[in-house]
Amino acid sequence: MASFKPTKIQVYPKLGEKVTQDTLYWKNYKAPVQIKEFGAVTSIDFSPVTPHNFAVTAFTRIHIYGPFSQEPVKSFTRFKDTAYCGRFRSDGQLLVAGCEDSVVRLFDVSGKVALRLFKGHTKAVHLTDFTSDRYQILTGSDDYTCRLWDIPNATELTTYTEHTDYIRCGVTSKLNRDLFITGSYDHTVKLFDARVEKSVITMDHGQPVESVLLYPSEGLLVSAGGRHVKVWDLLKGGQPLVSLKNHHKTVTSLALSSNGQRLLSASLDRHVKVYNTTNYKVVHNFDYAASILSLGLAPDDASIVVGMTNSILSIKHRKNQEDSKEIAGQQRRRPSYRVFVKGKNYVPKQDDYLVSKPVKEHLAKYDKQLQRFNVSKALDTALGTYIRFRKPEITVAVIKELDRRGTLKNALAGRDERGLSQLLNFIIGNLVDARFTPVLVTAAEMILDIYQSVIGQSPVVDRQLLRLQDLVKREIEFQKDLLEVLGMLDTMFASSLPRKEVPCSGHFEKERCKF
Amino acid sequence: MVEHGDIRVVHCGGSKINFRDPVITHDSRFLLCASGEAVKVFSTSTEECIHELRGHTGLVTGVLLRPSNHLQVYSSSLDGTLRLWDFTDGILIKTCVIGYPIYSFYASDKHENVIFIVASMPSDKRAERFQLVAVHLPQSGDQMVEAQELSAVLSGVNPNPAAIAFGRGGEFIASVNDLQLEVYFFKKQKSYRFFLKEDNKKGGWNTFTCVACHPKDDCIATGHEDGKIRLWRNFNHKKEYTYSTLHWHHSTVSSLCFTPEGTNLLSGGVESVLVQWRYNQESERDFLPRLGGAITHITVSPDGSLFCTSHSDNKITIIQSCVKVSAVIQGLVKGDSIRTDLMMDPRSKALVLNGKPGHLQFYSLQRDKLLYNLDIVQQEYIHESGLQQFEVVKAAFDASGSWLATVEERHQKAAELELNLKLWAFDEQTQSFVLNTTISAPHDAQITAMCFCQPTDSQTTLLVSTSKDGHFKAWQLAAPAHTEGTDDEGPSWLCDFVSAYHGLVPECCSFSADGSLLAVVFQEVVTVWSPSTWELLTTLSQPPGAVSDLCFGRLSCSKYLLGTTASNLLCWNLLTCSLEWTTSMDVRRLVADPLSENMAAFCYQSGSTDLFVFKPSEPRPLFSHKAVCSGKVTQAVFAPREEMLESCEESSQWLNRSQLYFLTQQMDLMTFTTKAEEDRLLASSKQLVIDDSVAMTPFYLLLGKHRQQQQEHQDSDSSLWAERTALPQTSASMKELLQTPAHVLPSTSYLCSMFVQSLLISVSDAREEKAHAEEEMESEKEEEDSEEEMESSRSKPELAAAAATESDTPALTKAQARELRRVRKLDHSWLAGLLDS
């Protein structure tokens, strides 16, 4: 004797984005902390030393935030005009920033007044950085020049005037004190060696360069400008490796996750995209409320800081691993569960004689009704509120099963106004779902057949029938439109594909020759 | 084209075991059922077939225990004979020739030596008129008797065996036919008839289908087509009869049966539910649902401990009376139509085909036994006629047998076609197929063909399906792209490639043996694709006509591609992309032997099917067989043999590596055998006969061996003893005497002389006799030669023999020896005289 085979519930593929290891990782952040700054946030830089404070450059101020504070732990306000590019030195003691008034200021992180002023540029300075020997400063300016300064004497060491447009970004090598890279609005990225007079490598990005980034190994360089993010191999003399075009507005900022496995790019299109650095595919995407100007990633990816044009600074902190686990564990261990598993997890010893009890098969309620051939009741059970709204696939599966048994008509018939309107509601709600359409169309036809004679007696049902009619009409229109589009696409594909001759059977050819 | 006498077409696979109701013996150990032209004896505990009672030459139509001797059983057949068997030993005791085909027969305790048979009498004008005839069995000791005394009891009866039953120990007999119940009382020699109305709204609803009589009470239960059961009482009056109605079944009641004590009534029908009604408390019912196919017969063992139901899917279920299934005897399920092709499971070497609805059956050809049914549809089967069910229409195995692909479809008139493609992985642990992927609606229309990429060494498995929607799709096993939260997700099948060719409908597809080419037929055009790049390599064409079957050559013929059209068999050479040869024949099925270059083509010609076996490279067929069977053959398969045959005859060489099986239009499974093979099988079957009635189970083998050893030990002991006492060795007649059951032996007086004779004539005696005869001749010669000394004429062995017999006197003089010989000669004549007397 075979046991009753329960109704098979079709498993439909989950719609929407797939859950991957990356999405799990990047979604594991708390709700963002939002801080209002005084103007557009143009730069975010994390201190290389613990506790990894970060400097936020916005309008005429630079604020320094601690890892957990929502108030700035320090602020530098002595700027005459908009400040740019506040950067920490590698020991976290000094901070340098450019300014719209062409003066570069050097601060002690614990002090308040600028230690040094570097004057020499003629226009706004958007790029400042320390070299790896910690005694020099690199600056780049809108006057097309980039300069190296000596910190102790506050004197200019070298000036490079190779760029032909604003210099808006740059980075110094962490490994070699003489190497630095600048990106300019003249579409080029140049690698300079302080020991020689001119640039060593020039790479053409194709668009005004907004941001450059060096890999920790400094073999690879990433540049962002326009909608493109490009990766260059410096060891091969600036050979382009990959060009990514995943944003639909200018990419403004780049960051690298702490282990170097993921690259993040922020853009004016309000998205931050996460790339896998082995295959350069987008693995995750963050949405923000406004265009993003700057992006910072704390060491160990502990927090993501984003500065936007609407002068809002958004900080996302990583969730604590232990917290989430404990919550899940607590949910499982309820007292009723302990009663439920009592004795069931007992492992029989070697000499024990095991009396096995026949396992009682659990059947869902609708299956129990189906087993007894109570078709109407089975449908009623499947139309219960929870199932109807949360798991429509179960309701549809039961309708399908009834149809297969040839008893769907019996199950649908003999319903009062309430029952019928409930049924119609379900059909209206799910009819256009492509997964359910074939089943529900049959059911809808049957309902119309059965209740044809009583149409017009209940205003509720009539209204629903009209809605159903409307729905079907609209759906047919959509389908027509879609078919038209499909036809257009087909012609386009057909014309774009190269025609290829298929070698024909020789025999056939010969035959044709004969004629 | 030569006809080969030594290759025969034979039936294969067990015949129906659900044709007539089975019989359970008094001790409930055996179950006997009619199966084709034999009666099969099954063990009720182990489900094994112990032996077959063979002898009938027509379909066996009934099996009945002999009322007066419960170790014997009667069987009737359409060949017009009744046979009496001893079923424990499988011996035919008596044959009674009736002369008319017997459709069913009955017996009862009360009527000794009378058997009631249902036969169609030729005296009747209409051929369909059946009569119940009482046959008095002649009392004679002969093996073969002819029944003379026939007397008609009832006429116009139903040939269905369920339509007649004996009541209350044989006092009356009840017969139903159409809308009439007839009860005949033997004592009064009078019959009563009761009629039912036809239930005028829908004709034929009240029609009787079966009848059963209470063993103790005057009560007749009848089953009807509308699912009602009527209990008739007081039927020995024409007018005052009463009946009560029981209704549970929703369609025809096909079988009714009372338990021997009369406490319960069992009923069954299409619903496949065994219903047990309490007699006189009919509101109390027990159910045993989901037994399988529709119930066709119900029987109860004489002691009431076992029930047994036959099902329409060629199955017998044995049920303990506590309503628990204890054993299932399953034969090869013969559906109405085999939609899937015949296939071989590469792992179990079992034949795979449609079985029960929604199942695939795995049938072991070597053991002639159904291995198991694989549930493909996995839905509750609703037993209702006229309901469109899911059917398995296509199935395919990959080369290693680790993947099985099945297609099931359900086509309702109004609704869309429902189509599911399922892929099953073989699970080593459970040794069965486990569902891996279900693809609902893989195509928009019916799938016409499906095949796996064959090479065993390749890493990826590829499945190609072609459909009437004009596309063919390639499916590939792909590792899960993402971990979907649940970690048990294994690899699943995804669509890899879709293609079409000028909107034509693809009919069939085939992979080359090495998997490097895929050929898809689009009506008249054969397209050849490369599965690795999915490039259309070439198209082949032929004289007009849609190609219906496609096959790549194998091994040395792998450069050939064969196809069939309605009128031609075509062979392309793939190196030149041209037609190599073509012959005009209507090939219905083309199969390739997986182990050789051979191909078999079944051609339909004027009502019957011919078989040609050929190599694509050779124009002359290896073997041809005209009129293999009547009707068309659309399904055939080559089954690899377990061990190769060593036939060197040219005509039967193609059967050496594998065997060809095919299904006829009547859904009979047939195969080809050679004479040598048949002989071998016969010999092995004789060896396999188990002397004990215990079925061959592993347990038996374990214990039986031990017992055998003991026996052998005893045997050797006894033989030692026999040698010591110089008793004559056991002769054949002695063996026969000791091993045949006493009740089947001839009279003692006849046996005695035989026994004594066997005791006297021993092997050594015979040798001596021979020696004597020679010596006699010699002595005569010597006498003729008159005292001539001819020592040299005596051969040495004789001397040695003489020396052996008279070892105590090694040195004998010539005279003495002659004397002795003379004495012996005298002695011998006396002994011979004694023997003759």
Side-chain angles (χ1 to χ4, degrees):
Chain A
M1 187 180 76
S3 58
F4 181 81
K5 289 169 197 159
T7 310
K8 208 165 51 185
I9 308 297
Q10 188 88 45
V11 182
Y12 293 104
K14 279 185 200 116
L15 298 175
E17 66 182 83
K18 294 273 190 298
V19 180
T20 61
Q21 209 64 43
D22 278 294
T23 41
L24 287 178
Y25 181 82
W26 293 108
K27 275 201 170 157
N28 196 18
Y29 283 95
K30 293 176 193 166
V33 177
Q34 305 222 338
I35 299 165
K36 180 85 179 163
E37 291 287 342
F38 292 94
V41 181
T42 52
S43 168
I44 295 161
D45 190 42
F46 273 87
S47 161
V49 294
T50 45
H52 302 301
N53 294 340
F54 56 94
V56 174
T57 316
F59 196 43
T60 57
R61 288 153 199 254
I62 292 177
H63 289 306
I64 294 176
Y65 292 89
F68 301 110
S69 67
Q70 298 193 18
E71 290 292 316
V73 292
K74 182 97 194 165
S75 45
F76 301 98
T77 53
R78 301 289 178 85
F79 289 100
K80 301 223 168 58
D81 209 335
T82 315
Y84 295 111
C85 199
R87 287 227 181 140
F88 283 103
R89 202 166 79 167
S90 57
D91 56 359
Q93 299 285 328
L94 295 180
L95 182 92
V96 68
C99 183
E100 190 68 40
D101 64 0
S102 79
V103 181
V104 177
R105 289 172 175 82
L106 182 73
F107 300 93
D108 185 354
V109 171
S110 52
K112 217 169 173 94
V113 189
L115 293 176
R116 299 274 191 283
L117 296 177
F118 302 94
K119 293 178 184 166
H121 281 296
T122 53
K123 277 183 178 165
V125 179
H126 280 267
L127 157 68
T128 56
D129 204 354
F130 293 93
T131 56
S132 58
D133 64 357
R134 306 194 291 189
Y135 304 124
Q136 289 176 9
I137 287 173
L138 162 74
T139 60
S141 161
D142 284 359
D143 60 7
Y144 310 163
T145 60
C146 57
R147 299 169 197 227
L148 279 175
W149 309 77
D150 185 39
I151 295 176
N153 305 323
T155 51
E156 187 187 316
L157 294 175
T158 337
T159 308
Y160 297 95
T161 55
E162 282 187 33
H163 282 296
T164 54
D165 209 335
Y166 302 156
I167 295 168
R168 284 290 167 88
C169 58
V171 71
T172 54
S173 163
K174 299 272 183 299
L175 306 175
N176 188 323
R177 67 191 187 108
D178 293 319
L179 292 181
F180 61 94
I181 293 156
T182 56
S184 158
Y185 274 17
D186 63 1
H187 301 186
T188 56
V189 177
K190 285 179 192 286
L191 172 69
F192 292 95
D193 191 340
R195 292 162 289 196
V196 293
E197 292 296 299
K198 51 192 179 104
S199 65
V200 186
I201 300 170
T202 304
M203 291 153 275
D204 188 14
H205 182 83
Q207 274 90 17
V209 183
E210 296 282 354
S211 177
V212 290
L213 182 79
L214 263 177
Y215 269 69
S217 64
E218 305 199 339
L220 295 179
L221 171 78
V222 189
S223 65
R227 293 165 59 193
H228 292 272
V229 173
K230 288 187 178 172
V231 183
W232 312 87
D233 193 345
L234 290 181
L235 300 178
K236 284 189 180 167
Q239 193 182 337
L241 274 185
V242 203
S243 175
L244 308 170
K245 195 182 166 191
N246 294 94
H247 289 282
H248 55 267
K249 278 185 182 168
T250 305
V251 182
T252 52
S253 187
L254 294 169
L256 208 57
S257 81
S258 55
N259 54 3
Q261 293 294 306
R262 300 287 181 269
L263 173 71
L264 284 81
S265 70
S267 154
L268 294 179
D269 65 2
R270 299 181 291 136
H271 294 297
V272 172
K273 300 215 183 234
V274 183
Y275 305 88
N276 185 337
T277 52
T278 48
N279 55 8
Y280 292 103
K281 290 249 168 68
V282 177
V283 292
H284 194 67
N285 181 34
F286 295 101
D287 284 1
Y288 282 93
S291 301
I292 303 163
L293 289 178
S294 53
L295 168 72
L297 202 60
D300 294 334
D301 304 338
S303 54
I304 302 172
V305 187
V306 160
M308 287 172 277
T309 48
N310 61 355
S311 67
I312 294 221
L313 182 73
S314 158
I315 308 163
K316 276 186 187 172
H317 290 290
R318 196 160 184 78
K319 274 183 199 160
N320 208 338
Q321 292 267 315
E322 288 81 42
D323 286 357
S324 53
K325 256 186 198 165
E326 243 169 58
I327 290 164
Q330 266 176 353
Q331 272 179 343
R332 229 179 287 139
R333 249 171 274 133
R334 263 181 274 167
S336 60
Y337 175 76
R338 280 204 300 268
V339 174
F340 178 69
V341 297
K342 190 177 172 190
K344 281 185 183 168
N345 45 11
Y346 178 75
V347 181
K349 296 196 180 73
Q350 200 176 15
D351 297 333
D352 286 359
Y353 180 73
L354 196 70
V355 181
S356 57
K357 209 168 60 175
V359 183
K360 202 177 175 189
E361 206 183 336
H362 173 75
L363 285 178
K365 273 183 187 159
Y366 51 86
D367 271 336
K368 278 182 188 158
Q369 301 286 6
L370 281 175
Q371 193 180 8
R372 286 187 208 118
F373 290 85
N374 294 336
V375 287
S376 280
K377 276 187 190 159
L379 186 58
D380 284 343
T381 324
L383 277 171
T385 321
Y386 174 75
I387 294 178
R388 185 160 38 118
F389 290 115
R390 292 297 177 81
K391 294 184 169 166
E393 63 267 22
I394 291 180
T395 316
V396 172
V398 170
I399 292 177
K400 195 174 175 184
E401 171 71 13
L402 288 169
D403 186 32
R404 187 181 73 84
R405 290 172 171 227
T407 48
L408 181 57
K409 217 160 202 166
N410 309 13
L412 292 170
R415 285 173 188 272
D416 56 2
E417 187 188 54
R418 223 187 111 262
L420 185 59
S421 69
Q422 197 184 38
L423 196 59
L424 281 172
N425 244 338
F426 176 77
I427 288 176
I428 289 167
N430 295 287
L431 187 66
V432 291
D433 195 329
R435 303 172 292 172
F436 305 144
T437 306
V439 182
L440 291 182
V441 161
T442 332
E445 278 171 357
M446 277 188 187
I447 289 173
L448 292 180
D449 285 350
I450 295 165
Y451 296 99
Q452 205 174 18
S453 55
V454 293
I455 286 174
Q457 287 180 9
S458 153
V460 182
V461 173
D462 286 353
R463 217 177 311 129
Q464 279 177 325
L465 287 177
L466 285 176
R467 266 180 67 200
L468 184 64
Q469 195 183 2
D470 239 33
L471 187 75
V472 172
K473 210 180 274 173
R474 238 181 313 136
E475 189 61 22
I476 289 171
E477 290 292 321
F478 286 148
Q479 294 292 336
K480 251 184 212 161
D481 291 349
L482 281 176
L483 281 176
E484 274 174 27
V485 172
L486 210 62
M488 289 180 216
L489 286 177
D490 271 350
T491 14
M492 279 161 71
F493 283 134
S495 58
S496 67
L497 276 178
R499 285 192 78 86
K500 209 184 128 204
E501 259 329 291
V502 171
C504 211
S505 139
H507 174 75
F508 194 68
E509 295 282 88
K510 261 183 258 166
E511 289 251 311
R512 217 191 285 165
C513 291
K514 271 184 220 164
F515 286 120
Chain B
M1 306 217 177
V2 222
E3 291 283 339
H4 302 287
D6 59 337
I7 294 183
R8 273 202 331 137
V9 186
V10 290
H11 271 271
C12 172
S15 41
K16 272 173 129 180
I17 56 171
N18 63 346
F19 178 59
R20 286 291 140 96
D21 38 347
V23 164
I24 304 175
T25 58
H26 271 78
D27 53 2
S28 298
R29 282 174 63 205
F30 304 113
L31 180 127
L32 292 91
C33 70
S35 163
E37 295 179 359
V39 176
K40 278 189 176 169
V41 183
F42 290 95
S43 160
T44 54
S45 47
T46 62
E47 312 171 10
E48 298 284 327
C49 179
I50 294 162
H51 49 240
E52 294 183 11
L53 311 179
R54 290 197 171 274
H56 279 294
T57 53
L59 198 64
V60 177
T61 53
V63 182
L64 212 57
L65 286 177
R66 186 176 179 179
S68 53
N69 184 349
H70 60 251
L71 289 175
Q72 296 180 353
V73 70
Y74 281 115
S75 70
S76 71
S77 160
L78 285 182
D79 63 2
T81 56
L82 277 176
R83 282 168 203 254
L84 183 65
W85 309 82
D86 180 313
F87 58 81
T88 40
D89 300 306
I91 294 167
L92 176 65
I93 298 168
K94 201 185 269 186
T95 306
C96 178
V97 180
I98 308 288
Y100 308 108
I102 306 168
Y103 289 90
S104 55
F105 77 118
Y106 311 89
S108 118
D109 288 338
K110 206 159 186 184
H111 308 273
E112 221 170 298
N113 282 322
V114 180
I115 297 258
F116 296 86
I117 62 164
V118 172
S120 77
M121 290 299 172
S123 54
D124 286 314
K125 291 281 174 290
R126 284 180 294 168
E128 279 163 24
R129 199 158 169 84
F130 293 97
Q131 282 188 335
L132 182 69
V133 180
V135 180
H136 294 266
L137 296 178
Q139 293 298 305
S140 112
D142 293 342
Q143 280 262 320
M144 186 84 134
V145 292
E146 198 157 338
Q148 304 291 347
E149 291 179 66
L150 302 179
S151 56
V153 181
L154 296 170
S155 66
V157 297
N158 198 326
N160 181 5
I164 295 174
F166 272 106
R168 213 177 59 185
E171 277 189 16
F172 59 89
I173 192 162
S175 153
V176 293
N177 196 9
D178 221 10
L179 289 165
Q180 164 199 303
L181 166 67
E182 191 169 0
V183 185
Y184 179 82
F185 288 89
F186 291 107
K187 220 180 246 174
K188 292 193 248 173
Q189 302 268 315
K190 196 174 169 187
S191 74
Y192 296 92
R193 287 182 183 166
F194 309 98
F195 292 93
L196 282 177
K197 267 194 214 127
E198 208 183 304
D199 210 274
N200 28 15
K201 279 169 224 152
K202 284 180 183 137
W205 272 44
N206 269 339
T207 311
F208 287 97
T209 53
C210 53
V211 65
C213 298
H214 195 276
K216 304 271 159 71
D217 243 350
D218 271 338
C219 176
I220 299 174
T222 58
H224 299 265
E225 261 185 16
D226 57 354
K228 284 188 183 123
I229 298 166
R230 286 190 170 86
L231 293 174
W232 301 73
R233 289 190 176 81
N234 220 5
F235 42 77
N236 44 7
H237 295 87
K238 190 83 195 160
K239 295 266 163 62
E240 292 163 26
Y241 69 91
T242 58
Y243 63 76
S244 56
T245 310
L246 312 174
H247 198 172
W248 183 87
H249 295 278
H250 71 71
S251 53
T252 314
V253 181
S254 57
S255 189
L256 280 171
C257 190
F258 277 102
T259 51
E261 295 302 313
T263 49
N264 290 311
L265 170 66
L266 303 170
S267 69
V270 181
E271 305 90 348
S272 186
V273 181
L274 182 70
V275 188
Q276 189 176 10
W277 312 77
R278 300 257 184 291
Y279 186 65
N280 285 332
Q281 283 169 285
E282 273 82 14
S283 55
E284 281 184 43
R285 298 171 298 220
D286 285 331
F287 303 105
L288 190 61
R290 289 183 285 280
L291 288 169
I295 294 177
T296 52
H297 308 284
I298 302 172
T299 46
V300 182
S301 70
D303 59 355
S305 63
L306 289 181
F307 305 154
C308 138
T309 54
S310 304
H311 300 269
S312 56
D313 53 358
N314 209 10
K315 184 171 90 169
I316 295 176
T317 313
I318 297 162
I319 301 157
Q320 283 162 357
S321 54
C322 53
V323 198
K324 209 182 119 201
V325 174
S326 68
V328 173
I329 299 164
Q330 172 89 62
L332 180 67
V333 183
K334 281 179 187 167
D336 308 325
S337 59
I338 304 295
R339 304 277 302 269
T340 62
D341 215 347
L342 288 181
M343 280 164 303
M344 295 304 299
D345 177 12
R347 250 171 222 274
S348 60
K349 303 281 182 284
L351 188 73
V352 180
L353 66 162
N354 274 135
K356 294 197 285 182
H359 287 67
L360 279 183
Q361 56 180 340
F362 287 67
Y363 186 79
S364 167
L365 292 163
Q366 279 81 31
R367 291 196 286 149
D368 187 21
K369 197 184 167 193
L370 194 79
L371 295 180
Y372 61 97
N373 278 309
L374 181 66
D375 187 358
I376 300 294
V377 174
Q378 294 186 328
Q379 269 177 343
E380 183 73 6
Y381 184 77
I382 307 298
H383 294 276
E384 199 179 303
S385 50
L387 200 63
Q388 281 294 323
Q389 308 275 11
F390 265 110
E391 272 184 275
V392 184
V393 290
K394 288 274 177 295
F397 283 95
D398 79 335
S400 60
S402 53
W403 287 100
L404 165 68
T406 60
V407 177
E408 64 203 39
E409 66 174 38
R410 172 173 170 263
H411 192 58
Q412 264 186 319
K413 266 166 233 146
E416 283 178 48
L417 177 81
E418 286 176 66
L419 205 62
N420 285 326
L421 172 65
K422 282 181 177 168
L423 287 133
W424 307 75
F426 190 80
D427 186 12
E428 294 283 355
Q429 252 177 347
T430 56
Q431 288 292 306
S432 68
F433 284 94
V434 179
L435 185 61
N436 177 277
T437 311
T438 307
I439 302 157
S440 51
H443 284 276
D444 296 338
Q446 279 175 323
I447 288 182
T448 51
M450 193 165 65
C451 67
F452 271 101
C453 191
Q454 289 297 329
T456 38
D457 51 330
S458 79
Q459 304 290 316
T460 54
T461 320
L462 195 68
L463 173 75
V464 168
S465 63
T466 63
S467 159
K468 281 192 179 159
D469 62 2
H471 290 95
F472 77 89
K473 292 189 181 179
W475 308 88
Q476 205 162 24
L477 189 66
H482 316 282
T483 48
E484 298 249 341
T486 50
D487 39 20
D488 57 342
E489 293 261 323
S492 59
W493 288 77
L494 291 172
C495 187
D496 183 43
F497 178 71
V498 186
S499 187
Y501 185 79
H502 294 296
L504 295 173
V505 174
E507 290 295 340
C508 54
C509 57
S510 176
F511 273 103
S512 66
D514 59 350
S516 62
L517 291 177
L518 166 71
V520 183
V521 173
F522 288 91
Q523 284 167 354
E524 298 187 3
V525 186
V526 179
T527 56
V528 181
W529 305 73
S530 153
S532 51
T533 59
W534 290 120
E535 236 178 307
L536 178 59
L537 297 176
T538 181
T539 58
L540 306 169
S541 53
Q542 82 285 335
V547 176
S548 59
D549 217 340
L550 203 62
C551 234
F552 273 97
R554 282 172 201 279
L555 305 175
S556 66
C557 298
S558 56
K559 63 181 175 182
Y560 296 107
L561 174 67
L562 287 106
T564 64
T565 66
S567 54
N568 285 312
L569 175 63
L570 311 152
C571 178
W572 289 276
N573 190 333
L574 287 170
L575 299 178
T576 60
C577 288
S578 62
L579 206 58
E580 185 96 353
W581 53 263
T582 162
T583 51
S584 130
M585 50 170 75
D586 180 11
V587 177
R588 291 299 164 129
R589 180 81 185 131
L590 186 68
V591 265
D593 186 351
L595 297 179
S596 66
E597 296 98 339
N598 298 336
M599 299 228 172
F602 288 92
C603 317
Y604 181 67
Q605 213 167 42
S606 61
S608 65
T609 298
D610 305 333
L611 170 75
F612 296 96
V613 180
F614 60 95
K615 275 186 192 176
S617 54
E618 285 174 32
R620 202 173 63 88
L622 295 170
F623 171 78
S624 67
H625 195 299
K626 289 264 180 204
V628 166
C629 67
S630 63
K632 292 162 194 161
V633 170
T634 50
Q635 275 121 0
V637 72
F638 272 105
R641 283 184 194 277
E642 277 189 336
E643 44 188 294
M644 260 180 63
L645 281 192
E646 302 278 321
S647 167
C648 27
E649 259 182 272
E650 200 194 346
S651 62
S652 54
Q653 260 177 1
W654 63 281
L655 280 169
N656 278 3
R657 283 169 172 275
S658 38
Q659 209 166 359
L660 181 63
Y661 290 88
F662 64 95
L663 269 183
T664 64
Q665 223 167 6
Q666 290 80 33
M667 294 300 148
D668 290 321
L669 188 64
M670 315 276 255
T671 188
F672 292 89
T673 54
T674 59
K675 202 156 208 168
E677 197 193 350
E678 261 176 74
D679 293 345
R680 207 178 43 125
L681 266 180
L682 207 69
S684 66
S685 72
K686 267 184 188 157
Q687 276 176 5
L688 277 174
V689 166
I690 306 159
D691 56 344
D692 207 341
S693 53
V694 181
M696 201 66 160
T697 58
F699 188 66
Y700 166 78
L701 289 175
L702 206 76
L703 278 186
K705 211 179 257 174
H706 179 65
R707 241 173 58 184
Q708 254 176 12
Q709 275 172 357
Q710 270 186 347
Q711 244 167 23
E712 269 167 31
H713 196 242
Q714 275 175 3
D715 281 354
S716 58
D717 273 355
S718 61
S719 64
L720 263 176
W721 177 72
E723 270 171 40
R724 223 182 300 131
T725 53
L727 259 186
Q729 277 174 11
T730 49
S731 69
S733 61
M734 251 180 89
K735 213 181 224 172
E736 210 173 77
L737 183 75
L738 293 174
Q739 289 188 347
T740 334
H743 55 273
V744 292
L745 282 175
S747 62
T748 333
S749 54
Y750 173 69
L751 279 174
C752 182
S753 61
M754 235 169 75
F755 182 65
V756 171
Q757 217 161 14
S758 72
L759 278 175
L760 285 175
I761 304 166
S762 64
V763 179
S764 57
D765 274 8
R767 201 194 329 130
E768 253 178 20
E769 218 170 26
K770 218 186 261 170
H772 280 309
E774 278 172 37
E775 277 164 357
E776 259 171 45
M777 272 166 67
E778 266 174 356
S779 59
E780 274 161 21
K781 264 189 207 162
E782 278 176 324
E783 273 161 15
E784 278 170 13
D785 292 343
S786 63
E787 311 299 314
E788 250 186 38
E789 307 277 324
M790 291 178 77
E791 290 290 335
S792 55
S793 73
R794 279 167 71 182
S795 56
K796 285 222 166 99
E798 263 179 58
L799 222 169
T805 46
E806 295 111 24
S807 53
D808 48 336
T809 53
L812 280 173
T813 58
K814 239 187 290 165
Q816 269 175 324
R818 207 175 292 154
E819 188 68 28
L820 198 72
R821 233 178 289 142
R822 212 158 281 153
V823 169
R824 212 184 276 154
K825 185 179 159 192
L826 271 175
D827 248 38
H828 181 66
S829 64
W830 168 81
L831 199 75
L834 190 102
L835 248 174
D836 289 337
S837 65

